[in-house]
Amino acid sequence: MADRLEIEGVVEAVRDVVGVAGSIALHEPEFSGNEKTYLNHCIDSTFVSSIGEFVDRFEAMLSERTGSRHAIACVNGTAALQVALQLAGVRTNDEVIVPALTFVATANSVSFSGAVPHFLDSESRTLGLSAKALAERLDAIGERGPQGIRNAETGRRIAAIVPMHAFGHPVDLAGLMEVAETWNIPVVEDATESLGTLYRNRHTGTFGLLSALSFNGNKIITTGGGGAILTGDDELARRAKHITTTAKLPHRWAFDHDEIGYNFRLPNLNAALGCAQLEQLDDFVERKRRLAARYRAAFERIPGIKVFVEPVGARSNYWLNALLLDENEAEQRDELLDALNDAGVMSRPAWTLLHWLPMYRECPRGSLPVAESLARRIVNVPSSARLAHA
Ligand SMILES: *Cc1c(COP(=O)(O)O)cnc(C)c1O
């Protein structure tokens, strides 16, 4: 078996890229800008909680940076996705199409709305939801009716499609939007991993009716915890702000609420951190792209494994670098993960496919050959922006 993957060679190649000394985290935040200045300002002002100038400023900066007409900050990306789905019209007992290969929060946000996730396949070109799988599935089970599109097998309405830009690489938005428009089903983008990523020169998260961003500690910028809803629709933006801020009616002193709202506000303290982080986003993206190029070069001559490269038409943020084992080498993945982690290089596989998790085992799904293959072959390796200096 001359072409067997050389585990030692792979560990060496990763070590060459990330530096030879010490243990290396998968992803760590970097605070080398105005973080402390803004946080001090925030504390001095006493406005650390749900009211304050940094929230407005952060939202304005997000809107400007992404080109989205509106950005509404919230407490985390999962909450942003949950509210985005609700505003897209997802209701109890609806079905929502999501990729099987994603972080569990994509499906959980569907469940929080009382709806059921319907898992479809990914494509290896993007690692994201396949437009072809979507079109074929809708042709097979989609039924047009007075309430919209029904899944003929389950009787439930298919209320939304949620593509996710995995590891910061955009899905085939042109293909997916075309299918979604043909069937008149709203698209909500899970753009929690793709802040700074462009698809055909336009920011991911601005193609769907709504989208969600995340600023969790491991994402490309962090607010500690945090998220945002993006939308180009004025009324949806107004609704998003309203229901994430307890549905309180603005008044000098009266305390009135006109519906059941969430307390999903992003505290001013977190927004202050976000403003400082967003100022550095371009720099983070540049460095992460350089790091990705170095991984690519290091793996050029290593057989049995490849570095995943951004799809055509994309300018990815390369949030997490992904190595992709050849099909024949897939059974060596766990051995490789052990060797990398033993060597102090924190690495991990892709998420366990959602239809393999106990709570989602019975959900409707299409056939998932690509997602199942990718899930067995992906290894994420250290991707902090600072490693570009190593
Ligand atoms: C991070 C992430 C989320 C959720 O974001 P949180 O801010 O952690 O709630 C949702 N979907 C995907 C794919 C993510 O990577």
Side-chain angles (χ1 to χ4, degrees):
M1 297 251 282
D3 64 343
R4 255 182 84 88
L5 184 73
E6 287 273 357
I7 301 273
E8 301 235 317
V10 173
V11 175
E12 238 173 78
V14 173
R15 266 290 178 198
D16 273 350
V17 173
V18 301
V20 281
S23 74
I24 310 286
L26 188 68
H27 199 284
E28 41 185 28
E30 186 178 310
F31 304 112
S32 42
N34 289 317
E35 285 85 357
K36 286 181 182 171
T37 311
Y38 294 169
L39 284 172
N40 276 330
H41 186 88
C42 198
I43 289 166
D44 292 343
S45 76
T46 76
F47 285 95
V48 295
S49 189
S50 49
I51 297 174
E53 61 180 65
F54 283 112
V55 176
D56 296 337
R57 200 159 128 196
F58 187 46
E59 290 179 340
M61 285 175 76
L62 281 172
S63 160
E64 145 111 58
R65 182 61 178 77
T66 59
S68 174
R69 189 167 158 84
H70 302 282
I72 299 92
C74 357
V75 73
N76 59 50
T78 310
L81 205 48
Q82 178 187 343
V83 171
L85 286 170
Q86 190 174 321
L87 291 178
V90 174
R91 298 285 173 269
T92 301
N93 211 31
D94 282 342
E95 250 168 56
V96 175
I97 289 173
V98 303
L101 180 65
T102 181
F103 178 53
V104 70
T106 315
N108 287 349
S109 63
V110 172
S111 305
F112 297 152
S113 319
V116 177
H118 182 138
F119 300 116
L120 291 188
D121 208 9
S122 296
E123 58 174 339
S124 43
R125 187 163 61 98
T126 66
L127 307 179
L129 191 64
S130 156
K132 185 161 168 283
L134 176 67
E136 287 174 0
R137 188 68 175 159
L138 287 172
D139 281 340
I141 60 153
E143 230 176 41
R144 290 171 204 269
Q147 256 85 56
I149 307 304
R150 237 170 50 103
N151 177 344
E153 287 178 359
T154 62
R156 285 188 288 252
R157 189 175 74 106
I158 299 175
I161 299 163
V162 185
M164 191 278 285
H165 308 295
F167 312 134
H169 300 291
V171 296
D172 170 15
L173 277 159
L176 286 167
M177 293 306 295
E178 189 184 322
V179 179
E181 274 157 28
T182 303
W183 288 89
N184 199 22
I185 303 173
V187 169
V188 174
E189 295 175 72
D190 182 339
T192 50
E193 303 187 353
S194 68
L195 180 64
T197 291
L198 305 180
Y199 174 83
R200 297 187 181 171
N201 289 320
R202 187 166 143 196
H203 201 286
T204 48
T206 64
F207 291 80
L209 181 62
L210 300 128
S211 75
L213 303 177
S214 167
F215 318 113
N216 191 35
N218 60 347
K219 296 301 202 296
I220 188 159
I221 71 162
T222 186
T223 59
I229 298 163
L230 300 183
T231 183
D233 184 292
D234 295 349
E235 177 57 15
L236 290 176
R238 193 194 61 75
R239 296 271 310 136
K241 192 67 182 176
H242 190 58
I243 65 174
T244 53
T245 56
T246 73
K248 185 177 180 296
L249 299 172
H251 191 277
R252 272 175 64 211
W253 41 259
F255 235 83
D256 273 329
H257 307 260
D258 62 354
E259 63 183 302
I260 301 173
Y262 301 100
N263 179 13
F264 282 170
R265 296 169 289 194
L266 183 73
N268 202 40
L269 204 54
N270 302 76
L273 199 56
C275 290
Q277 286 270 288
L278 204 46
E279 290 170 353
Q280 300 163 80
L281 176 63
D282 288 339
D283 175 47
F284 291 161
V285 172
E286 276 317 313
R287 283 192 277 147
K288 285 162 87 67
R289 291 181 60 80
R290 239 187 297 144
L291 180 65
R294 291 184 45 203
Y295 271 121
R296 208 149 56 235
F299 277 84
E300 231 153 42
R301 268 180 283 282
I302 298 187
I305 191 162
K306 277 179 210 57
V307 176
F308 184 81
V309 178
E310 65 190 356
V312 175
R315 189 176 191 279
S316 299
N317 68 4
Y318 279 93
W319 169 57
L320 269 193
N321 283 284
L323 305 179
L324 211 52
L325 292 161
D326 289 356
E327 199 66 65
N328 297 334
E329 318 293 343
E331 83 273 9
Q332 287 202 86
R333 185 197 71 182
D334 293 0
E335 199 186 326
L336 174 60
L337 283 165
D338 277 334
L340 285 165
N341 284 288
D342 285 348
V345 178
M346 202 186 145
S347 307
R348 69 172 195 211
W351 316 275
T352 298
L353 295 180
L354 297 186
H355 68 292
W356 289 343
L357 300 178
M359 61 285 194
Y360 292 127
R361 215 163 270 158
E362 307 299 325
C363 290
R365 60 177 193 256
S367 67
L368 303 164
V370 179
E372 290 183 354
S373 164
L374 288 171
R376 285 186 287 112
R377 298 190 291 125
I378 289 172
V379 171
N380 288 121
V381 287
S383 299
S384 307
R386 73 167 181 87
L387 295 174
H389 292 314

